[in-house]
């Protein structure tokens, strides 16, 4: 499996406040970004997999919603996570 418990803890530890900080917007955005990168590679190899394509679109929407929330509430946190993850915009 591409996303096991150790990998999740590593992502939460790096982008959140601690390894158990699973609810902060930054940690959720980082987790969504990891999953989006994985699914993007899968869809490139399996272009007829429409279910995965739809799941990828939903994940991008969830990440966009969290980024919009951060942008409206705390612009400094938004800019930091965009820069750290290397996302556009």
């Amino acid at each position: 499996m591409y996303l096991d418990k150790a990998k999740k803890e590593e992502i939460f530890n790096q982008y959140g406040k601690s390894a158990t900080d699973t609810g902060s917007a930054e940690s959720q955005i980082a987790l969504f970004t990891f999953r989006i990168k994985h699914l993007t590679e899968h869809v490139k190899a399996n272009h007829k997999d429409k279910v995965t394509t739809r799941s990828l679109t939903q994940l991008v929407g969830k990440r966009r919603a969290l980024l919009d929330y951060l942008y409206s509430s705390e612009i400094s946190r938004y800019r930091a996570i965009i820069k750290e993850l290397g996302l556009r915009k």
Side-chain angles (χ1 to χ4, degrees):
M1 184 166 189
Y2 77 99
L3 188 62
D4 56 352
K5 187 175 180 179
K7 184 63 178 174
K8 278 186 183 181
E9 285 180 2
E10 178 187 329
I11 290 171
F12 292 144
N13 200 12
Q14 184 177 2
Y15 296 103
K17 294 174 182 70
S18 68
T20 58
D21 179 28
T22 60
S24 70
E26 290 91 345
S27 59
Q28 289 295 309
I29 291 168
L31 182 65
F32 288 160
T33 301
F34 179 80
R35 291 176 62 196
I36 287 169
K37 286 179 183 177
H38 176 75
L39 290 178
T40 301
E41 293 302 317
H42 175 79
V43 169
K44 284 180 184 177
N46 305 287
H47 65 278
K48 290 187 176 183
D49 189 355
K50 302 302 179 193
V51 174
T52 303
T53 304
R54 183 173 187 275
S55 299
L56 178 61
T57 306
Q58 288 177 328
L59 269 178
V60 170
K62 285 182 181 182
R63 183 178 70 180
R64 181 77 255 158
L66 279 173
L67 285 170
D68 289 343
Y69 163 74
L70 269 184
Y71 184 81
S72 66
S73 63
E74 292 188 43
I75 192 77
S76 60
R77 287 172 57 195
Y78 171 79
R79 289 183 179 143
I81 195 69
I82 289 292
K83 186 176 183 180
E84 204 169 338
L85 290 174
L87 299 175
R88 290 183 286 170
K89 188 172 177 178

